[in-house]
């Protein structure tokens, strides 16, 4: 993409209501524009990151055997009346009436709808287990939308729903999603710690939240330090799911609501970490909380009918855009992990109009594009300082700086955004360096 043709509306001033880094940088870097409280337009740069995160979430769900579908944003109130949640949910639910005075709502989550769908088709244990997911916009009329996309009113969520014959099978589904979450957050470049969590309005008796530790997080958390740096497990066979789950939950980790001070005191003092965290995922096993009131039952091998055992598994896809920036930025702007960066590298032409500089930039642009790096070429006629600041702000992992002076010596400068390290190399070596840096990034 050539910057001269792109739509990148940068802000010079920091909007005064943006109190945390991710919110500030998302506005300044032209990623989002607030349309009304907690409702955002995703501008091209922000939308690219959102799509990349969504795709990683999708791939890890697919690997875990979940099957993608799409449910509507607008739901009938009937499903929610059947489960009793229509009254229980409270003012966070946006209730709507159509022209025929029928009660609708903009979905804050989909347990009720999917349980209704599932019972329509599935009557036998032979059709279980099953796990279905979608990635769809949700609406919650939050009391205090704030921190930009981190606590929006309209937000993008991945929500998966598992259906099993009994509690044991349902727990296995839970462990499978638990492991999928560790791998998802690992690929996103995040250290997300699973913690025992309250089940809230979703209900149930087994629940974990995944939190990234950050001073600006809204949740208070307590955990064993060693959990923070545990690497993602990678591919885990069915027979090892439980042991990975046990390994990760053996050490103390709990959100504020589930915190047990006596248990925490048993953690060695130098390993006790009390911190703040951003909730990026939340998983629940809730048994027959929805299947019982909705009569979602299957016939077992013995001919008896039983309620389906269910769980649900949410990831805050749009919140993650802000969460990743909270975890990865400096005073000059965003520092994108390679897996979600909107463009693979920036090319800065220090002297647009100079024949040698233009030609070298075009050549690099062509070669990086052909290699799938998706470069952003700053071909605008601005001062060098402005170009550097802009490229630092939007946070691409690598910058190639091309000017007539370097070219006389046959070199371009390659800057690594995260470390600030600068190296001079031939244009050819620069292309190879960047291609090799992206090897293995999926
Ligand atoms: P919170 O405690 O932050 O209000 P929640 O527990 O109500 O979240 P869940 O119902 O567990 O949220 O939803 C699944 C995921 O959706 C959360 O882990 C979070 O990442 C994301 N999410 C929830 N509410 C919002 C929101 N208002 N804006 C952006 N993302 C959200
Ligand atoms: Mg939650």
């Amino acid at each position: 993409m050539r910057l001269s043709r792109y739509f990148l509306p940068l802000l010079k001033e920091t909007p005064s209501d943006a109190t945390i880094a991710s919110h500030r940088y998302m506005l300044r870097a032209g990623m989002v524009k607030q349309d009304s409280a907690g409702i955002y337009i995703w501008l091209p740069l922000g939308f690219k990151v959102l799509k990349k995160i969504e795709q990683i979430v999708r791939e890890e769900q697919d690997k875990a055997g979940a099957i993608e579908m799409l449910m509507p944003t607008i739901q009938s109130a009937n499903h929610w009346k059947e489960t009793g949640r229509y009254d229980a949910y409270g003012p966070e639910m946006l209730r709507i009436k159509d022209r025929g005075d029928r009660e609708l709502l903009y979905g804050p989550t989909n347990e009720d709808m999917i349980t209704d769908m599932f019972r329509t088709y599935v009557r036998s244990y032979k059709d279980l287990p099953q796990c279905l997911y979608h990635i769809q916009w949700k609406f919650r009329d939050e009391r205090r939308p704030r921190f930009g996309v981190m606590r929006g009113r309209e937000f993008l969520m991945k929500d998966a729903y598992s259906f099993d014959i009994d509690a044991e099978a349902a727990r296995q589904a839970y462990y499978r999603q638990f492991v999928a979450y560790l791998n998802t957050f690992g690929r996103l470049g995040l250290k997300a710690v699973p913690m025992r969590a309250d089940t809230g309005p979703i209900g149930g008796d087994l629940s974990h939240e995944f939190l990234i530790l950050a001073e600006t997080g809204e949740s208070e958390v307590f955990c064993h330090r060693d959990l923070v740096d545990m690497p993602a497990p990678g591919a885990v066979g069915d027979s090892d799911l439980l042991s990975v789950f046990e390994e990760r939950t053996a050490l103390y980790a709990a959100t504020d609501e589930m915190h047990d001070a006596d248990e925490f005191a048993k953690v060695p003092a130098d390993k006790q970490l009390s911190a703040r965290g951003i909730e990026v995922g939340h998983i629940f096993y809730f048994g027959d909380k929805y299947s019982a009131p909705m009569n979602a039952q299957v016939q077992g091998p013995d001919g008896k009918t039983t309620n389906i055992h269910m769980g649900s598994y949410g990831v805050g896809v749009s919140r993650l855009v802000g969460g990743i920036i909270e975890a990865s930025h400096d005073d000059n702007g965003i520092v994108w992990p390679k897996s979600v960066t909107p463009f693979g590298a920036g090319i800065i032409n220090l002297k647009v109009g100079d024949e040698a500089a233009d030609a070298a930039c075009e050549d690099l642009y062509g070669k990086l594009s052909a290699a799938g790096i998706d470069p952003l070429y700053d071909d605008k006629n601005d001062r060098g300082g402005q170009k550097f600041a802009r490229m630092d702000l939007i946070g691409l992992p690598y910058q190639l700086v091309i000017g007539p002076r370097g070219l006389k010596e046959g070199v371009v400068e390659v800057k690594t955004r995260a470390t600030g390290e600068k190296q001079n190399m031939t244009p050819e070596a620069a292309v190879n360096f960047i291609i090799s840096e992206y090897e293995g990034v999926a």
Side-chain angles (χ1 to χ4, degrees):
M1 179 60 64
R2 290 166 202 275
L3 190 59
S4 60
R5 311 241 175 99
Y6 199 47
F7 188 75
L8 188 68
L10 304 184
L11 297 183
K12 286 213 184 68
E13 309 291 319
T14 298
S16 58
D17 62 327
T19 54
I20 65 170
S22 60
H23 191 192
R24 271 201 307 273
Y25 287 146
M26 285 184 75
L27 294 172
R28 282 193 46 211
M31 294 179 66
V32 289
K33 178 184 187 299
Q34 180 175 302
D35 189 61
S36 60
I39 301 180
Y40 287 86
I41 297 171
W42 289 82
L43 298 168
L45 193 75
F47 188 56
K48 260 191 134 192
V49 176
L50 185 70
K51 286 281 156 190
K52 286 207 168 178
I53 295 172
E54 180 185 332
Q55 184 56 21
I56 288 175
V57 171
R58 172 177 291 118
E59 286 171 16
E60 293 302 320
Q61 287 296 301
D62 293 347
K63 278 186 210 163
I67 300 172
E68 189 170 14
M69 62 181 297
L70 185 61
M71 287 178 272
T73 54
I74 304 288
Q75 306 187 20
S76 159
N78 290 341
H79 308 316
W80 292 70
K81 288 185 173 164
E82 236 185 300
T83 59
R85 273 217 290 184
Y86 195 59
D87 295 326
Y89 211 88
E92 281 194 354
M93 185 189 281
L94 181 64
R95 297 156 206 258
I96 309 165
K97 276 197 179 149
D98 69 9
R99 64 170 81 199
D101 230 22
R102 281 174 289 262
E103 291 173 297
L104 302 172
L105 57 98
Y106 196 121
T109 181
N110 285 69
E111 284 83 4
D112 316 71
M113 178 183 271
I114 202 166
T115 308
D116 173 66
M117 183 284 286
F118 204 76
R119 71 176 168 185
T120 309
Y121 301 112
V122 177
R123 301 286 164 76
S124 162
Y125 74 95
K126 291 179 192 152
D127 296 322
L128 302 179
Q130 193 58 270
C131 189
L132 299 165
Y133 77 97
H134 73 161
I135 301 173
Q136 176 63 295
W137 294 91
K138 306 288 187 285
F139 194 94
R140 294 181 186 177
D141 200 355
E142 300 274 356
R143 183 199 301 272
R144 252 192 102 188
R146 57 178 183 159
F147 300 152
V149 300
M150 298 258 262
R151 181 163 300 281
R153 292 198 295 168
E154 189 182 52
F155 60 96
L156 189 61
M157 195 204 283
K158 182 285 298 181
D159 37 326
Y161 302 89
S162 62
F163 303 89
D164 285 278
I165 185 71
D166 56 25
E168 195 191 324
R171 277 177 178 269
Q172 188 76 354
Y174 185 93
Y175 304 146
R176 193 173 290 116
Q177 283 285 331
F178 183 98
V179 169
Y181 276 45
L182 294 174
N183 288 329
T184 302
F185 297 126
R187 278 182 67 187
L188 294 172
L190 293 171
K191 296 173 178 177
V193 184
M195 307 202 178
R196 272 214 75 101
D198 196 15
T199 54
I202 310 278
D205 55 24
L206 178 61
S207 178
H208 287 85
E209 278 178 14
F210 291 75
L211 295 110
I212 359 179
L213 303 185
E215 275 164 37
T216 50
E218 289 186 287
S219 320
E220 203 180 350
V221 299
F222 304 86
C223 74
H224 193 294
R225 256 174 220 289
D226 291 355
L227 274 173
V228 181
D229 289 315
M230 278 195 188
V236 176
D238 274 0
S239 54
D240 294 323
L241 290 171
L242 177 62
S243 65
V244 174
F245 176 78
E246 283 174 342
E247 175 204 30
R248 300 291 164 141
T249 51
L251 298 177
Y252 188 89
T255 60
D256 190 28
E257 303 85 36
M258 299 299 280
H259 183 50
D260 177 338
D262 294 335
E263 278 300 307
F264 191 52
K266 293 180 195 156
V267 176
D270 62 327
K271 295 287 186 187
Q272 288 179 13
L273 183 61
S274 65
R276 304 199 66 83
I278 300 166
E279 178 194 329
V280 288
H282 196 167
I283 60 177
F284 305 86
Y285 163 59
F286 46 72
D288 64 0
K289 179 174 168 176
Y290 301 92
S291 58
M294 292 188 110
N295 283 314
Q297 297 174 327
V298 288
Q299 199 164 49
D302 54 4
K304 285 193 196 136
T305 49
T306 50
N307 294 333
I308 299 173
H309 287 249
M310 291 176 57
S312 73
Y313 314 90
V315 170
V317 177
S318 52
R319 177 178 287 182
L320 274 164
V321 181
I324 290 170
I325 297 173
E326 282 305 312
S328 186
H329 68 270
D330 62 19
D331 289 344
N332 299 325
I334 304 165
V335 182
W336 289 117
K338 284 183 258 185
S339 57
V340 300
T341 183
F343 295 96
I347 300 170
I348 296 177
N349 186 341
L350 285 178
K351 196 150 190 195
V352 175
D354 176 274
E355 217 174 297
D358 288 354
C361 286
E362 287 296 334
D363 191 53
L364 287 167
Y365 183 59
K367 286 182 175 144
L368 290 173
S369 300
I373 298 296
D374 192 16
L376 179 67
Y377 172 23
D378 183 348
D379 58 347
K380 288 177 78 169
N381 220 336
D382 296 321
R383 281 181 304 103
Q386 202 179 341
K387 289 181 174 238
F388 295 135
R390 178 160 65 206
M391 207 54 98
D392 276 355
L393 173 64
I394 66 174
L396 311 182
Y398 301 98
Q399 302 172 7
L400 298 174
V401 184
I402 292 93
R405 223 175 302 156
L407 286 175
K408 273 197 194 117
E409 276 145 45
V411 296
V412 301
E413 186 184 88
V414 179
K415 175 173 154 181
T416 302
R417 177 68 181 86
T419 58
E421 191 196 349
K422 294 172 180 169
Q423 298 166 266
N424 284 334
M425 5 182 150
T426 65
E428 212 175 15
V431 169
N432 290 336
F433 170 74
I434 289 179
I435 292 173
S436 70
E437 288 294 294
Y438 276 95
E439 255 157 40
V441 176

